[in-house]
Amino acid sequence: MADSSGGIDNKGLQIEMDDVTDEVAPYPTGNDVTLNFQGSRSRNPSITDLAFYASQVQTKRERENNGDKLRGWDLLREIVDGMRVIKRSTLIYTKREKLRMKDFAKERRTGQDVTNLLNDAEIFLDLPETNLHDVIKNMLNSMLPEDSEVSTSDCIKKLFADDLCLLPSNMVQGNVYHGDNVYWEETWMCIFTSINTLTRHRYAIARLRQHVNLGPGASEIKFVVLVVAPSEEKETKSAKETSLTFATLFSDIEFRWKLSEAKNQKQFKMAIDERYSDLADHKVRNLLMRKISMDAAGASPFLEADPGPGCGFARGIRGDIKRRLPHYFSDYIDGFRNANEIKKLITTIVFLYFCCLLNTLALGALNDKNTEGAFGVKEAMVSLAIAGLVYAVIGGQIMVILLTSAPLAIYAKLIKEMSVDGGYEFFSFYAIVGFISSGLVFLFALFDVSKYMKYSTRMVDEVFALFISASFLKDAILDTADDFTENYNCLWDGTLDEPCIVFNDTMANLTGSACECVPCAPEESILFLFMVLAVPTLGLILHYFRNSPYLGKTVRVVLLADQALAITTIWWAFVHSFFFRHIEVEPWSYTEAGVFRVPDFANSGLDASGYITAALLGFFHSLLIFVDHSIAESVASAPENKLKKGSAFHWDLVVVALLNALSSLCGWPMVHGKLPHTPMHVKNLADTEERVVQGYVVTTIVRTTETRQSTLISHILLALSLLMLPYPLQYIPQSVLDGIYVFLAIRAFSDNQFFERMLLLITDQTAYPPNHYVRRVPQKQMHFFTFLEMLCLIIVCVIGLAYEPLVKMWFPIVLLLLIPLRQLLFPKLIDDDYLHVLDAH
């Protein structure tokens, strides 16, 4: 019974069966049903009706008679009475009322209610009961002493509107806005009633051992709050008002998560007191309300980067420092506050280490090939280790992961080609391009250019994320094709109809002509293809094993699902190196040259045209750094990730500019914020809650641990990994690296709304999920927007994945042009209201 209000006051619930026909509908089992039939006519009870009623009566009698079952004539008498009850229609009055949340900073009574709750409430942790009657009965037995003026049975009659104790008479629940979605908060309920003979308030909170289905609107109940108050009380102390105080506490998803993690009653009450303190503190409350308001409106994360109108000087940088500096010390403490945070921190460190290491190995080998050995794997690892450590210490948005990328490798290749064509010394030319790029990025930060990215919508983020995934898949496919060309298709030279004949010393009497053939190894190509397919297969099986019912949660989630990347890499590298050791596979390239190469500008050969070319390349390079890093940071700072410490778009550009200036001077690959590693980092540090919405599981982030420790420790391990060059790291073959790319690409698809809407184009309409855009946007408009977004993706992929490096150079311009295209053209084709639903952050 969804409602758009923030809280619901149910004066009973209603299950309707309008105009019941003679056809017997299948009855659900358990506690999701009631025998209250409504309609203009009744019908004779069927055998199914009687059997169902007898089962319910039997259960009810067992509760009342300490487990003794009805037998013989007693059971028959109840069935006969049940026939009369089934034939009789009953009416239930239902009223829903929107309630405002309590203002703990202004209303003095809320503090007294919380104090009474902490001092007098009965706390039940991990109750095993699976039906509401037994839960309430246990709570009442402890709340009401034996000599109490109110009996438990009388209280139960007041609390429920039906004899089977399925429908509470008075209940407060909440719903939550998540972007344009509205969900019932079905994990908690607050039940209350007033009794004449009661002399003082009674409270109880029960945390169930597992989520329990307690009927419509309460399918995943974890917490039950019970308030019983005297009838003769003033309005501010009534059962309804007291329940509203407790319901305001429970409306916060992070608070409920803390209660679920509490090990004992002391920790449980400490969480309640901490939640009350936050709500009662004006400063904290205003911050929370502002954050909630931004989340509800689907605000762009770039809005926080806007320091105000006009063109200022370093206002954004000053604002970022002011926003982030108060949290600096907590950035190091968070992650060690409790066992759950430590567990998540360890798994995230392992994930980041392998994720960054594999990315660096693959792109380092690519850079070695593109620059003809100028810099490769060793330089990439040194650059990443230094950049990661520096950013972990002085960076702003600590959830961003800095890495080199395929577009930066393309620019390195272009710089190498132009240096050769112009006769310039490569490292000098590369350093000039890097200095110009870093200087422009620094100017972007000084003059608050990031604030104009507020016009960037979800569409730009989604298109860019899918482009990155497409580039991963392209690299894996091209590497596989190249391996087949070299080792499999070499049996033919392309000009003869017959296979080449390979001579050896034993073929003395062979006649006829033959061509010269290179030695072939078709088994290597088959092994390469097998690894590219096997790596993502195992990785995805382990990743989604978190949803399996097998094994315990710690083993299933922490040891297997969260470490899918590490387990997959180690296992398949071992299989490749041990079981297939008889197949000789050429490892990725590695050179022993030093990593610090200061360019000789005096003998660089640069002239005026060389500096102009370097300036042009530096301009496009700076746009690439600016756009890629800004999008990565916006994805990390998205409202659904529940980050509380704020963003730092401008300051982070300053840090990236300084790091890239150092890298260009030393002849290392440059870096920026990276997708999909950044959002994966966020999700690894997040606590999540799953809701069932119309049969579909919706995962919501409850809170995210914002800590520098995950990046800091993982990059310390990366720095130590330099000791493992060339072995044992060269035991990880290129095929495993390409398989990891496929795994990361597929994982990125699953979190992309655009990809979900693309699949709807080929999905039967009856199988459409109840997403907010499916419910609120006409189907034609939704598919038309998806089609336009698909065209944008195709254009970006054609430019970004083109064969010619000069064409790829224009990629950041094309990506930036998506913003005015979305703001100016799309509103003329699709209604603004529908665009907001489809394209809001």
Side-chain angles (χ1 to χ4, degrees), residues 348-634:
T348 303
I349 289 171
V350 176
F351 165 80
L352 276 184
Y353 170 73
F354 279 92
C355 200
C356 295
L357 176 65
L358 296 174
N359 180 87
T360 306
L361 293 179
L363 289 177
L366 179 61
N367 279 324
D368 187 89
K369 181 171 63 175
N370 288 345
T371 62
E372 299 177 2
F375 53 77
V377 172
K378 181 189 291 186
E379 292 78 10
M381 290 186 64
V382 171
S383 174
L384 174 62
I386 293 177
L389 290 173
V390 172
Y391 189 82
V393 175
I394 66 173
Q397 180 46 268
I398 54 181
M399 307 308 292
V400 174
I401 300 301
L402 297 187
L403 288 170
T404 189
S405 63
L408 291 180
I410 293 169
Y411 269 85
K413 180 179 181 180
L414 186 60
I415 294 170
K416 178 64 178 179
E417 292 177 351
M418 290 190 171
S419 66
V420 172
D421 294 340
Y424 314 129
E425 196 267 328
F426 169 73
F427 288 107
S428 299
F429 190 62
Y430 182 76
I432 296 298
V433 173
F435 288 159
I436 294 174
S437 172
S438 299
L440 290 174
V441 172
F442 185 72
L443 290 177
F444 294 159
L446 282 180
F447 292 100
D448 306 333
V449 178
S450 290
K451 72 179 183 179
Y452 297 107
M453 289 295 290
K454 65 185 178 183
Y455 298 108
S456 174
T457 59
R458 176 189 286 269
M459 185 203 77
V460 179
D461 297 350
E462 291 176 343
V463 168
F464 181 68
L466 282 184
F467 166 76
I468 297 298
S469 298
S471 66
F472 282 169
L473 293 177
K474 177 207 168 190
D475 291 340
I477 293 172
L478 288 183
D479 286 345
T480 305
D482 291 343
D483 193 275
F484 268 78
T485 300
E486 180 180 354
N487 298 307
Y488 194 90
N489 296 336
C490 62
L491 293 176
W492 289 267
D493 71 345
T495 60
L496 301 176
D497 294 332
E498 297 296 331
C500 291
I501 301 175
V502 182
F503 287 102
N504 56 40
D505 295 338
T506 62
M507 301 172 65
N509 298 324
L510 186 63
T511 61
S513 61
C515 62
E516 293 184 1
C517 297
V518 296
C520 296
E523 67 279 2
E524 181 179 334
S525 298
I526 300 299
L527 177 60
F528 195 103
L529 178 62
F530 171 75
M531 286 295 170
V532 170
L533 298 178
V535 169
T537 300
L538 177 60
L540 292 173
I541 290 174
L542 293 177
H543 175 69
Y544 289 109
F545 195 73
R546 66 179 70 246
N547 302 323
S548 169
Y550 305 110
L551 303 180
K553 183 178 179 181
T554 301
V555 176
R556 188 175 68 245
V557 177
V558 178
L559 299 182
L560 295 179
D562 289 347
Q563 303 306 326
L565 187 64
I567 295 173
T568 300
T569 303
I570 294 173
W571 169 250
W572 287 120
F574 169 74
V575 169
H576 189 284
S577 302
F578 183 77
F579 293 101
F580 296 97
R581 59 186 180 274
H582 61 283
I583 300 178
E584 296 185 3
V585 177
E586 183 179 357
W588 38 264
S589 178
Y590 174 77
T591 57
E592 294 288 351
V595 294
F596 293 96
R597 304 167 185 173
V598 179
D600 184 8
F601 292 105
N603 300 314
S604 63
L606 284 167
D607 52 13
S609 62
Y611 283 104
I612 293 174
T613 304
L616 183 63
L617 282 172
F619 172 71
F620 285 107
H621 194 277
S622 68
L623 291 180
L624 177 66
I625 296 291
F626 173 73
V627 175
D628 287 15
H629 185 85
S630 297
I631 291 178
E633 186 151 346
S634 73

Side-chain angles (χ1 to χ4, degrees), residues 53-352:
Y53 182 80
S55 174
Q56 294 295 314
V57 168
Q58 190 72 269
T59 303
K60 184 170 183 288
R61 293 307 184 195
E62 288 179 21
R63 297 173 188 157
E64 297 176 352
N65 298 297
N66 299 321
D68 295 335
K69 294 185 177 181
L70 293 176
R71 302 182 184 279
W73 289 106
D74 292 334
L75 180 59
L76 181 60
R77 187 182 304 108
E78 289 290 348
I79 293 177
V80 173
D81 292 340
M83 293 173 62
R84 185 168 59 255
V85 171
I86 291 176
K87 293 178 64 175
R88 184 176 68 247
S89 296
T90 61
L91 301 177
I92 296 179
Y93 170 64
T94 301
K95 177 183 177 182
R96 289 181 293 186
E97 177 184 352
K98 181 178 180 179
L99 301 175
R100 65 172 181 83
M101 290 190 180
K102 290 279 191 177
D103 190 338
F104 283 69
K106 297 180 180 179
E107 300 183 40
R108 296 178 62 252
R109 182 63 204 178
T110 57
Q112 186 61 46
D113 289 339
V114 174
T115 301
N116 293 338
L117 178 69
L118 294 175
N119 294 334
D120 302 332
E122 299 290 337
I123 306 296
F124 300 86
L125 300 182
D126 302 326
L127 280 182
E129 281 71 15
T130 58
N131 61 79
L132 190 56
H133 174 275
D134 292 348
V135 172
I136 296 297
K137 185 177 180 180
N138 278 338
M139 298 168 78
L140 288 173
N141 286 337
S142 297
M143 292 167 57
L144 304 175
E146 295 182 359
D147 57 349
S148 173
E149 62 277 12
V150 182
S151 67
T152 300
S153 59
D154 292 339
C155 198
I156 289 178
K157 290 179 181 179
K158 289 277 292 183
L159 287 168
F160 291 98
D162 65 313
D163 293 336
L164 297 179
C165 301
L166 301 175
L167 306 177
S169 299
N170 299 283
M171 179 175 65
V172 180
Q173 275 186 287
N175 53 26
V176 60
Y177 289 90
H178 183 68
D180 289 300
N181 289 302
V182 181
Y183 301 115
W184 270 109
E185 291 182 336
E186 298 192 39
T187 58
W188 65 276
M189 59 169 56
C190 184
I191 302 174
F192 65 92
T193 191
S194 299
I195 298 180
N196 293 329
T197 56
L198 199 64
T199 58
R200 66 182 183 90
H201 288 69
R202 306 282 184 172
Y203 318 99
I205 301 177
R207 185 183 71 186
L208 306 184
R209 179 177 297 174
Q210 58 191 3
H211 291 273
V212 176
N213 186 347
L214 297 182
S219 59
E220 301 172 277
I221 293 297
K222 182 72 172 180
F223 298 98
V224 178
V225 183
L226 178 60
V227 177
V228 182
S231 299
E232 299 298 328
E233 284 283 5
K234 59 183 180 180
E235 183 63 25
T236 57
K237 298 174 64 176
S238 65
K240 178 180 175 181
E241 286 294 315
T242 305
S243 298
L244 186 54
T245 299
F246 303 152
T248 303
L249 294 174
F250 274 83
S251 64
D252 181 64
I253 189 173
E254 184 175 348
F255 169 70
R256 299 196 299 271
W257 179 267
K258 290 180 180 179
L259 292 184
S260 65
E261 292 293 312
K263 303 299 183 182
N264 49 54
Q265 290 192 12
K266 181 179 179 181
Q267 293 182 9
F268 198 91
K269 292 184 177 182
M270 286 178 60
I272 295 175
D273 187 53
E274 181 182 348
R275 168 69 172 160
Y276 168 71
S277 299
D278 289 343
L279 290 174
D281 186 284
H282 287 272
K283 192 173 185 180
V284 175
R285 176 185 173 276
N286 291 337
L287 179 63
L288 292 174
M289 295 305 295
R290 184 163 61 251
K291 185 69 175 175
I292 292 171
S293 177
M294 289 181 63
D295 293 352
S300 169
F302 287 110
L303 291 178
E304 200 171 32
D306 190 353
C311 183
F313 182 79
R315 287 187 304 171
I317 296 176
R318 294 195 300 269
D320 291 343
I321 295 175
K322 183 179 179 180
R323 185 185 308 116
R324 293 290 313 192
L325 194 58
H327 304 289
Y328 186 77
F329 291 105
S330 70
D331 290 341
Y332 291 95
I333 298 173
D334 292 345
F336 295 98
R337 295 184 184 276
N338 53 57
N340 180 64
E341 286 188 353
I342 294 175
K343 181 173 61 178
K344 280 194 168 293
L345 179 61
I346 293 174
T347 58
T348 303
I349 289 171
V350 176
F351 165 80
L352 276 184

